[in-house]
């Protein structure tokens, strides 16, 4: 049996500490030892949830993408509609808007849901945050292992067959790439917005974050790189498009969005 450890960051980094340790002779760790959500005020106000990837690999939890209603091609749009669509024995631990979408709430970047490609990989040039290259893809294989790859890196993996996404969502720009902040971010920028994103961070955790105050791209990326110790992180969206569902911290944004990404658990 795994040796389960609930990791935490120093309170100075703005993430609550909760150390717990279960040896092979102890009872099986609870779901709460694998994931948690919290609010922080440092280095700026933000809300976050993290989950240990072991909980996804052993089937205790599942990371899924959602877009349309089961019975129609109509977008779900809201966290309420998503929750209502789940089986009675499942619950939504937390969720966030996924990759960027158009006026019809359809994804503009690479999207895969349960192995079916909804939208092909978008490697085009263009304007807006999505095309502030390099951009990237959050994806997981059928076994539940989660990756964040720069889009051209993923293309090479798709071409040689080393990547077989079961779920995937493309957005941009990348925030952190191999431990370095996106090279086009300006530390002195004055462009501040509410922003949300996801990172693969220390101790094999997935970290989901939405700023609760307007921040620059550089500040947001710096949070992932330095405070949360993420080697790779991806911007999902910003402004009125940022949406977060985390009932354990009483967060339930009532917004409409395209594809959503969430962690599902047994009731």
């Amino acid at each position: 049996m795994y040796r389960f450890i609930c990791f935490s960051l120093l309170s100075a980094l703005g993430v609550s500490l909760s150390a717990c340790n279960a040896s092979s002779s102890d009872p099986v760790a609870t779901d709460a030892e694998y994931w948690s959500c919290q609010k922080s005020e440092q280095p700026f106000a933000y809300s976050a949830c993290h989950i240990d990837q072991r909980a996804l690999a052993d089937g205790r939890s599942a990371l899924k993408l959602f877009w349309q209603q089961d019975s129609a091609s109509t977008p779900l749009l809201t966290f309420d509609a998503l929750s209502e669509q789940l089986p009675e024995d499942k619950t939504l631990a937390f969720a966030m808007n996924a990759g960027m979408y158009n006026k019809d709430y359809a994804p503009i970047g690479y999207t895969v849901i349960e192995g079916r490609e909804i939208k092909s990989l978008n490697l085009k040039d263009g304007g807006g945050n999505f095309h502030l290259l390099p951009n990237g893809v959050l994806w997981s294989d059928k076994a539940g292992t989660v990756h964040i790859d720069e889009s051209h890196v993923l293309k090479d993996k798709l071409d040689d067959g080393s990547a077989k996404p079961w779920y995937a969502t493309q957005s941009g720009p990348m925030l952190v790439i191999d431990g370095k902040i996106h090279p086009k971010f300006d530390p002195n920028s004055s462009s501040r917005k509410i922003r949300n994103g996801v990172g693969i961070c220390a101790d094999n955790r997935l970290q989901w974050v939405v700023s609760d105050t307007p921040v620059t791209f550089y500040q947001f990326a710096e949070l992932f790189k330095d405070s949360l110790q993420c080697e790779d992180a991806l911007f999902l969206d910003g402004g009125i498009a940022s949406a977060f569902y985390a009932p354990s911290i009483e967060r339930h944004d009532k917004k409409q969005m395209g594809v959503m990404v969430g962690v599902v658990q047994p009731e």
Side-chain angles (χ1 to χ4, degrees):
M1 184 181 296
Y2 288 111
R3 180 178 178 84
F4 300 111
I5 302 175
C6 184
F7 294 97
S8 54
L9 298 176
L10 295 176
S11 58
L13 298 180
V15 181
S16 61
L17 282 177
S18 175
C20 49
N21 195 345
S23 70
S24 59
S25 61
D26 292 331
V28 174
T30 65
D31 290 336
E33 293 173 34
Y34 279 108
W35 71 273
S36 68
C37 300
Q38 55 277 318
K39 292 179 177 289
S40 176
E41 296 298 325
Q42 297 296 329
F44 50 78
Y46 69 90
S47 300
C49 294
H50 77 263
I51 186 166
D52 189 319
Q53 286 215 56
R54 290 175 298 179
L56 305 176
D58 67 12
R60 182 179 298 271
S61 303
L63 180 70
K64 296 188 175 186
L65 261 69
F66 306 89
W67 179 33
Q68 295 175 322
Q69 299 177 23
D70 287 339
S71 60
S73 58
T74 305
L76 286 164
L77 297 179
T78 66
F79 294 131
D80 286 329
L82 167 55
S83 295
E84 291 173 3
Q85 183 169 283
L86 291 177
E88 291 184 359
D89 62 344
K90 303 294 182 184
T91 186
L92 191 62
F94 57 87
M96 183 174 279
N97 57 288
M100 296 178 182
Y101 50 88
N102 62 22
K103 62 181 178 62
D104 298 317
Y105 299 100
I108 64 172
Y110 186 55
T111 305
V112 178
I113 298 178
E114 294 186 347
R116 182 169 71 94
E117 185 178 287
I118 307 297
K119 178 77 174 178
S120 61
L121 192 64
N122 186 341
L123 300 177
K124 299 176 182 178
D125 292 328
N129 290 330
F130 183 90
H131 296 286
L132 182 55
L133 305 179
N135 57 22
V137 180
L138 169 73
W139 66 278
S140 66
D141 57 29
K142 199 169 184 178
T145 304
V146 181
H147 312 259
I148 295 176
D149 282 326
E150 187 272 324
S151 295
H152 285 87
V153 171
L154 180 59
K155 180 183 184 303
D156 291 341
K157 291 181 178 181
L158 293 172
D159 289 345
D160 66 21
S162 60
K164 299 183 184 299
W166 187 245
Y167 289 106
T169 182
Q170 184 181 13
S171 193
M174 290 285 289
L175 296 168
V176 182
I177 311 157
D178 295 330
K180 297 180 180 179
I181 291 176
H182 193 296
K184 294 180 182 176
F185 292 173
D186 181 1
N188 300 312
S189 173
S190 60
S191 177
R192 291 178 169 83
K193 299 181 182 297
I194 300 295
R195 305 184 191 274
N196 69 289
V198 57
I200 297 179
C201 309
D203 307 322
N204 204 30
R205 289 172 298 118
L206 290 174
Q207 188 81 50
W208 309 83
V209 180
V210 59
S211 68
D212 295 328
T213 188
V215 294
T216 67
F217 266 133
Y218 193 92
Q219 289 173 317
F220 198 49
E222 197 171 39
L223 171 73
F224 278 97
K225 175 182 174 291
D226 295 337
S227 298
L228 302 177
Q229 301 175 19
C230 303
E231 280 293 306
D232 296 285
L234 177 66
F235 177 68
L236 292 176
D237 219 327
I240 61 173
S242 291
F244 198 32
Y245 174 84
S248 65
I249 54 172
E250 300 181 342
R251 178 72 179 259
H252 186 166
D253 291 343
K254 303 286 188 176
K255 297 181 180 181
Q256 292 187 339
M257 68 206 89
V259 176
M260 292 171 268
V261 58
V263 169
V264 176
Q265 298 180 317
E267 279 279 13

